[in-house]
Amino acid sequence: MGNSLGKNLIITSFGESHGTHVGIVLDGFPSNFAIDFTQIQHELDRRKPGQSNLSSERKEDDIPIFVSGIFEGKTTGAPICILIENKNQNSQDYSELKNLYRPSHADKVYDQKYINRDYRGGGRSSARITAPWVAAGALAKQFLLKYYQINIQSVVNRVKHIGIEDVFMLSDWSNAQTNTIKCPDSMLALKMIELIDSAKIAGDTVGGTIATRISNCPIGIGEPVFDKLNADLSKAMFSINATKGIEFGDGFGGTYKYGSERNDAPDKNTNNEGGIIAGISNGNNIEFTTAFKPVSSIKITQRMENQSNEIINHQIQGRHDPCVLPRAIPIVESLSAIVILDHIFSNLKKHTKMTKI
Amino acid sequence: MGNSLGKNLIITSFGESHGTHVGIVLDGFPSNFAIDFTQIQHELDRRKPGQSNLSSERKEDDIPIFVSGIFEGKTTGAPICILIENKNQNSQDYSELKNLYRPSHADKVYDQKYINRDYRGGGRSSARITAPWVAAGALAKQFLLKYYQINIQSVVNRVKHIGIEDVFMLSDWSNAQTNTIKCPDSMLALKMIELIDSAKIAGDTVGGTIATRISNCPIGIGEPVFDKLNADLSKAMFSINATKGIEFGDGFGGTYKYGSERNDAPDKNTNNEGGIIAGISNGNNIEFTTAFKPVSSIKITQRMENQSNEIINHQIQGRHDPCVLPRAIPIVESLSAIVILDHIFSNLKKHTKMTKI
Amino acid sequence: MGNSLGKNLIITSFGESHGTHVGIVLDGFPSNFAIDFTQIQHELDRRKPGQSNLSSERKEDDIPIFVSGIFEGKTTGAPICILIENKNQNSQDYSELKNLYRPSHADKVYDQKYINRDYRGGGRSSARITAPWVAAGALAKQFLLKYYQINIQSVVNRVKHIGIEDVFMLSDWSNAQTNTIKCPDSMLALKMIELIDSAKIAGDTVGGTIATRISNCPIGIGEPVFDKLNADLSKAMFSINATKGIEFGDGFGGTYKYGSERNDAPDKNTNNEGGIIAGISNGNNIEFTTAFKPVSSIKITQRMENQSNEIINHQIQGRHDPCVLPRAIPIVESLSAIVILDHIFSNLKKHTKMTKI
Amino acid sequence: MGNSLGKNLIITSFGESHGTHVGIVLDGFPSNFAIDFTQIQHELDRRKPGQSNLSSERKEDDIPIFVSGIFEGKTTGAPICILIENKNQNSQDYSELKNLYRPSHADKVYDQKYINRDYRGGGRSSARITAPWVAAGALAKQFLLKYYQINIQSVVNRVKHIGIEDVFMLSDWSNAQTNTIKCPDSMLALKMIELIDSAKIAGDTVGGTIATRISNCPIGIGEPVFDKLNADLSKAMFSINATKGIEFGDGFGGTYKYGSERNDAPDKNTNNEGGIIAGISNGNNIEFTTAFKPVSSIKITQRMENQSNEIINHQIQGRHDPCVLPRAIPIVESLSAIVILDHIFSNLKKHTKMTKI
């Protein structure tokens, strides 16, 4: 269970790292929408491994196969199933993991919960299952941009201890497209890359934070009690295995201020609330920061438990990212787009007469 | 919409600050469970205003009225509706708010989203609506303790800049019951109270963080993709209006470490993952920290917008908490209990023959 | 579980026959809608017992208490909780049922499923719990009529063997308001009443069928696969305990025809599909027929099982309806209205910009 | 929307008649269950076209492709995606339908609702999309039989006017496997086949009824108010496009009886309630009858509307079933199995300690 997300725009995820395909079903997407297939491929390319020295060496084309819901290039209103082939599988890489539980990994809890674990490449817990999320998110992004002029952008604002002081004070994040770590400050980007490179050489990994800004979100999106917009964005972000924290606006930092300092006055140019008040968008940019732990898969000998409950020393093989942050960006953006579009559909003016799209 | 939470244990919240009652419907609670009514009242008393100098002066008895689902002191399996009367209403306090939008408050977005806003005491956005959540959470707590020996405890670990260095290193939090701020370090508690008192005198407010520990949670709770245990706890925590951030285990702090430092090795006594790996409980204590902003209602003249879009200077009247943290504790614990019990019900061994409770 | 119905308009039912109140929470109803309270009372009056010789002698005022979601006579967009007091309780009437299982009643399965059964008046299985459904349905009806000119009318078209040949051929059902059995054919109505009267004298009960017509439903309502409009109407109808069958359009009768006879040609004035094709409304009147079994509570000595698994002869006391059909009409209409409005909300044109209601 | 069904066992359907594949995602199926692949193929073979003279001439192998959720022949607890290739597509067959609306077909409402209709072979409204339902249902059947000894059997009890008087009085339905129409009365079967043959020659179609019996269903399955077991079975049955009616137990027939005649007394050998009282299984066989209209696709010239709103005479080409009843049997059984298993999972004893399967 727990493989679907959303109420009026629903994604259902399936697939494992070393099955034939990973996939998604997107239900609730409006009909008669002309799809920009190039943009979908572009988003998938941003996520796929092997793009730069910073990411895993697994090579995947990640070309989406559209199984259903599209006719003559346009959506039909039927559920859209998208498959992505797992080409560069290398099951031998993982045979060592059959009896071993990697530290801070899902291996052991999966065995305990399910018994019959597909251990190849992390199986269902692999980040590979997020590729179809990006394809579905790309569709949501297209729709949001076309009909609402909503733009969603995520950047890396900190790698380990190297970070931008207040990334939300920076209004222009376009520089993030010019470097492989996707940081809007080009000088810091170089330092981040240097740090990742040296971690990689040491067989180690680093984490950091991703900042997200959603502009032009209409006022009034989000439900006031249990389906708050921030609550649903938060739930979506924690769907990414490496996420360990999230904060909106000034978040944890804001708890160091007095109320009188922190309140967003109408003529003060602040956005401490991060664009969401009491669960509802207030017209400001929606801004949040997500904490990603350093990848648990390191190429350094570690203490590990095996299925016989022995603790041994072992060094994991396989192809892993020294830092997932740049590849996580399209995932964060995609889930954000899906949550925002779902909430927009849930908030449509309720006495509107139904008309064709 | 968005007034229900849960899949196999569902709460539906209703009511406003100045209606006759606030209430909840709890659906999915097992039948034939003998209720400890004293414990429910005890939990409600922990949340109610007027307990100490630190909280609002509004006086409420907060005695739960059980409308349905209970027969001869035991649950029947039918939905349990609980009402709590709003006694100490004082609508005049809020008449000033009819045309005014308080900074960092829901007033304006509610007007924009709903037009017909019940402005009295914040209406639906009032923290008063959490009282019935605590009553429902008390039932969940009783059940978790009786059948699973699960204990859920929250404490205040930081008020503004006064905080415990690493609250999860402290194994015994029982001291938190001995002071009004509910901090496990009694010396720090005094400093926190002093800080709150001076903020109160100044008409100001302070925020901070609440740490939560769930012990004895069975291994294997939580779904591996979109209904991860941390994702659902996070969503629940953001249902509290003042929440602006959450982190599990070492959270944001962990992003400053190398993977090699941070991984929870099987023979290292660490819990950096906070008891949840890839969305599934791993048998360690579940530990997370929630950031609460300073209360937006301050008794200091602020710049405010009114319904005519003028910005004026105004000082809000009314009875507000200088610091919500101690009263938020039973709310955090209650929502946690509801999420954990919901997930336990969703994870029952699937081929069990049905038997009576 | 299973006490909520709907996706974008959700009702949550609670309460038992002999608790203090029965109630409902209606979530998703648009804000700023001026409520016609007189119409709600009128609908409740159509359902309440003691209206005529045909129904139970239990006397209830059935005056709705609006706990939440309404401010200054208009909806606020917050969940609307409605309570109805159980005044004319008479628990002694039912003390005999504590250890007895009435034939074709829920008594035994409730005991087996829940152990702790509230046996007073049927508890949760009592038809009394439908009173708040009618109050919520009245709101849905008001909305449907005002914004979509949708009219929902149910009539009794057969009592036992006395029935109208083809009730859907009759375009004007207004006569049904002029007799206590609510049959559009006044002559048949007299015969039906006579039949019920003699059944009542014998301590017996009769069933029959209710025909429902929904006019002006927009084209395109209903989802094409699992949430078909007929599927959801059917599910709602089976929520009434006495319902044992349902058919749309020519239903079972249509299975006696050849395809060539039965197809609704565009220039033939037929509606064999009952206004729904492949789950979607086609602009014709939506027409369906619901079968209600004779009430299981009869005042005749029957063979009954008791809690000790003995089979004894017993005659049930209490106040029961010899024929529930006329009182079931507002329930059928209310559930229909809730389903239709829910589907309308689920089908709003998806790229509409959000605007105020 | 509306492409998913279930709460704790969820199927999500996707695909169109003339896309590359039709498919399903089955979520919530327990892990570590050894699959009998032969039985799945057997069930698919019962549904596939071209089996006998009674069904469509379209030829499909209907071999399921298991994309996910299975490892070494056993389920992993991850969602199971099953694809079935559309091999014998013949889009030209349907090009005539691009601008034509077949009577009593989804063509026109799809165009009105979605604009961009995939008209090839009925697109999303094709019965072809039920093939993967049967594959998923086969898994549910295996589980029900293995762990609960639950057996689900459907038979054709009436074709047009040729029917068995009371099929539920017949305890042994095994003869239904010996004839192509799947009727337990072999003599009637011959007459039914003769009737269908002559209808086929005339280019016409016939409908009828399917009777379903579920034996060994545990007592206590089904929720008492809105997710009643009969309500959910009914909703599932109406998911089949040709279904126009359903009745449980004596259904419509029971409305012709007095309560005193109809009540199921404990020592009377009757099952008028069809095994479900007030929404809950009572331990008797669950018995219901579903009405299937004659297939709307006939090979006789009909009056039809085209996209220009003209009414013309036209004869539809294509490969259609003169009678869908025998092929509908595995669909009815499959949906029944999915509903029953979903309800079993929703009714597990709630304080059970979690254990491995």
Side-chain angles (χ1 to χ4, degrees), chain D residues 67-282:
Chain D
V67 176
S68 64
I70 296 168
F71 183 57
E72 298 176 344
K74 293 194 283 186
T75 58
T76 63
I80 299 165
C81 177
I82 304 172
L83 296 177
I84 295 176
E85 204 179 336
N86 291 322
K87 286 188 169 168
N88 193 228
Q89 306 167 352
N90 194 346
S91 294
Q92 296 95 301
D93 286 1
Y94 297 97
S95 58
E96 59 172 345
L97 295 178
K98 189 174 176 176
N99 302 308
L100 262 188
Y101 300 138
R102 290 169 293 171
S104 285
H105 258 284
D107 302 340
K108 189 175 179 187
V109 290
Y110 267 60
D111 248 11
Q112 291 173 309
K113 188 179 175 85
Y114 296 119
I115 301 179
N116 185 39
R117 171 171 62 105
D118 181 352
Y119 53 80
R120 300 165 305 163
R124 183 74 183 137
S125 72
S126 167
R128 176 123 195 93
I129 69 162
T130 64
W133 305 2
V134 171
L139 273 165
K141 276 184 169 184
Q142 291 180 24
F143 193 92
L144 288 171
L145 190 62
K146 177 166 183 191
Y147 289 112
Y148 292 90
Q149 292 74 52
I150 294 174
N151 206 285
I152 298 174
Q153 194 186 358
S154 297
V155 297
V156 171
N157 66 313
R158 182 167 56 73
V159 174
K160 208 166 173 279
H161 57 280
I162 301 170
I164 301 174
E165 192 148 348
D166 187 348
V167 73
F168 295 118
M169 291 293 283
L170 207 64
S171 61
D172 181 1
W173 286 359
S174 53
N175 268 346
Q177 305 313 321
T178 63
N179 55 68
T180 51
I181 188 65
K182 311 297 180 194
C183 173
D185 181 319
S186 306
M187 295 307 292
L188 282 178
L190 291 175
K191 292 189 185 172
M192 289 171 173
I193 292 166
E194 199 177 344
L195 175 67
I196 297 168
D197 283 341
S198 57
K200 188 180 178 183
I201 289 162
D204 216 333
T205 58
V206 290
T209 54
I210 288 178
T212 299
R213 179 184 281 151
I214 304 169
S215 52
N216 277 329
C217 183
I219 295 168
I221 298 291
E223 300 303 327
V225 179
F226 292 126
D227 296 338
K228 287 183 159 78
L229 187 55
N230 44 346
D232 279 347
L233 284 167
S234 167
K235 175 167 175 163
M237 290 308 123
F238 277 108
S239 303
I240 306 169
N241 280 328
T243 303
K244 297 305 283 186
I246 189 169
E247 57 183 5
F248 287 81
D250 61 5
F252 281 87
T255 65
Y256 289 92
K257 304 174 189 164
Y258 283 109
S260 57
E261 293 173 78
R262 190 189 166 281
N263 279 354
D264 284 328
D267 52 4
K268 220 169 38 171
N269 188 23
T270 57
N271 185 18
N272 292 324
E273 301 294 345
I276 301 175
I277 295 272
I280 300 170
S281 61
N282 71 356

Side-chain angles (χ1 to χ4, degrees), chain C residues 88-101:
Chain C
N88 193 229
Q89 306 167 350
N90 194 345
S91 294
Q92 295 94 303
D93 286 1
Y94 298 96
S95 58
E96 59 171 342
L97 295 179
K98 188 173 177 176
N99 302 308
L100 261 188
Y101 301 137

Side-chain angles (χ1 to χ4, degrees), chain C residues 36 50 182 269 353:
Chain C
D36 178 348
K182 312 296 182 196
N269 187 23
K353 294 294 180 110

Side-chain angles (χ1 to χ4, degrees), chain B residues 236-305:
Chain B
M237 290 308 123
F238 277 108
S239 302
I240 306 169
N241 280 327
T243 302
K244 297 304 286 186
I246 189 168
E247 56 183 6
F248 287 80
D250 61 5
F252 281 86
T255 64
Y256 289 92
K257 302 174 190 163
Y258 282 110
S260 58
E261 293 174 78
R262 191 189 164 281
N263 279 354
D264 284 329
D267 52 2
K268 217 169 40 169
N269 188 22
T270 58
N271 186 18
N272 292 324
E273 300 294 345
I276 301 174
I277 296 270
I280 300 171
S281 61
N282 70 356
N284 288 342
N285 288 333
I286 294 172
E287 292 173 340
F288 60 90
T289 307
T290 315
F292 283 80
K293 68 177 184 182
V295 178
S296 302
S297 299
I298 57 175
K299 289 184 185 168
I300 296 174
T301 299
Q302 294 180 90
R303 300 287 282 165
M304 271 181 221
E305 196 178 346

Side-chain angles (χ1 to χ4, degrees), chain A residues 1-5 7 11-13 103-107 109-110 112-114 124-125 129 133 158-161 195 198-199 204-209 219-228 230-232 234-236 238-241 243-252 254-267 272-274 276-282 289-298 300 302-305 311 335 346-347 350, chain B residues 1-5 7 11-13 103-107 109-110 112-114 124-125 129 133 158-161 195 198-199 204-209 219-228 230-232 234-236 238-241 243-252 254-267 272-274 276-282 289-298 300 302-305 311 335 346-347 350:
Chain A
M1 296 296 296
N3 295 291
S4 296
L5 187 76
K7 296 208 164 174
I11 51 172
T12 297
S13 163
S104 284
H105 258 283
D107 301 340
V109 290
Y110 265 61
Q112 291 172 310
K113 187 179 175 87
Y114 296 118
R124 184 76 182 135
S125 73
I129 69 162
W133 305 2
R158 183 166 56 73
V159 174
K160 207 168 174 281
H161 57 281
L195 176 67
S198 57
D204 216 334
T205 58
V206 289
T209 53
I219 294 168
I221 298 292
E223 300 303 326
V225 179
F226 291 127
D227 296 338
K228 287 183 159 79
N230 45 344
D232 280 347
S234 168
K235 174 165 177 164
F238 277 108
S239 303
I240 306 169
N241 279 328
T243 303
K244 297 304 285 187
I246 189 169
E247 57 184 6
F248 286 81
D250 61 4
F252 281 87
T255 65
Y256 289 93
K257 302 175 190 163
Y258 282 110
S260 58
E261 293 173 77
R262 190 189 166 282
N263 280 354
D264 285 329
D267 52 3
N272 291 323
E273 300 294 344
I276 302 174
I277 296 272
I280 301 170
S281 62
N282 70 358
T289 308
T290 315
F292 284 80
K293 67 176 184 182
V295 177
S296 302
S297 299
I298 57 174
I300 297 175
Q302 294 181 91
R303 301 287 281 165
M304 271 181 221
E305 196 177 346
I311 296 174
L335 290 173
S346 297
N347 275 279
K350 295 239 161 131
Chain B
M1 294 299 294
N3 295 291
S4 296
L5 188 76
K7 295 210 165 173
I11 52 171
T12 297
S13 163
S104 284
H105 258 283
D107 302 340
V109 290
Y110 266 59
Q112 290 173 310
K113 187 179 174 87
Y114 296 119
R124 183 74 182 137
S125 73
I129 69 161
W133 304 2
R158 184 166 56 72
V159 174
K160 208 167 173 282
H161 56 280
L195 175 67
S198 56
D204 216 332
T205 59
V206 290
T209 54
I219 294 167
I221 298 291
E223 300 303 327
V225 180
F226 292 127
D227 296 338
K228 287 183 158 78
N230 45 346
D232 279 348
S234 167
K235 174 166 175 163
F238 277 108
S239 302
I240 306 169
N241 280 327
T243 302
K244 297 304 286 186
I246 189 168
E247 56 183 6
F248 287 80
D250 61 5
F252 281 86
T255 64
Y256 289 92
K257 302 174 190 163
Y258 282 110
S260 58
E261 293 174 78
R262 191 189 164 281
N263 279 354
D264 284 329
D267 52 2
N272 292 324
E273 300 294 345
I276 301 174
I277 296 270
I280 300 171
S281 61
N282 70 356
T289 307
T290 315
F292 283 80
K293 68 177 184 182
V295 178
S296 302
S297 299
I298 57 175
I300 296 174
Q302 294 180 90
R303 300 287 282 165
M304 271 181 221
E305 196 178 346
I311 297 174
L335 289 174
S346 297
N347 275 279
K350 295 244 159 126

Side-chain angles (χ1 to χ4, degrees), chain C residues 191-241:
Chain C
K191 292 188 186 172
M192 289 170 173
I193 291 167
E194 201 178 344
L195 175 67
I196 296 168
D197 282 341
S198 57
K200 187 180 180 183
I201 288 162
D204 216 332
T205 59
V206 290
T209 53
I210 287 179
T212 300
R213 179 183 282 152
I214 303 170
S215 52
N216 277 329
C217 184
I219 294 168
I221 297 291
E223 300 303 326
V225 180
F226 291 126
D227 296 338
K228 286 181 160 78
L229 187 55
N230 45 345
D232 280 347
L233 283 167
S234 167
K235 175 165 176 164
M237 290 309 122
F238 278 108
S239 303
I240 305 169
N241 279 327

Side-chain angles (χ1 to χ4, degrees), chain C residues 293-307:
Chain C
K293 68 177 184 182
V295 177
S296 302
S297 300
I298 56 175
K299 290 184 185 169
I300 296 174
T301 298
Q302 294 180 91
R303 299 288 282 164
M304 272 181 220
E305 196 179 347
N306 64 19
Q307 280 194 316

Side-chain angles (χ1 to χ4, degrees), chain D residues 32-84:
Chain D
N32 209 31
F33 183 84
I35 297 175
D36 178 347
F37 293 95
T38 310
Q39 181 257 6
I40 297 175
Q41 189 63 62
H42 170 69
E43 294 289 342
L44 282 166
D45 289 347
R46 294 172 72 207
R47 196 213 72 92
K48 78 177 181 190
Q51 299 171 72
S52 79
N53 200 32
L54 306 183
S55 66
S56 155
E57 290 143 33
R58 180 168 172 165
K59 295 271 182 275
E60 291 287 1
D61 291 338
D62 284 358
I63 295 170
I65 304 163
F66 296 91
V67 176
S68 64
I70 296 168
F71 183 57
E72 298 176 344
K74 293 194 283 186
T75 58
T76 63
I80 299 165
C81 177
I82 304 172
L83 296 177
I84 295 176

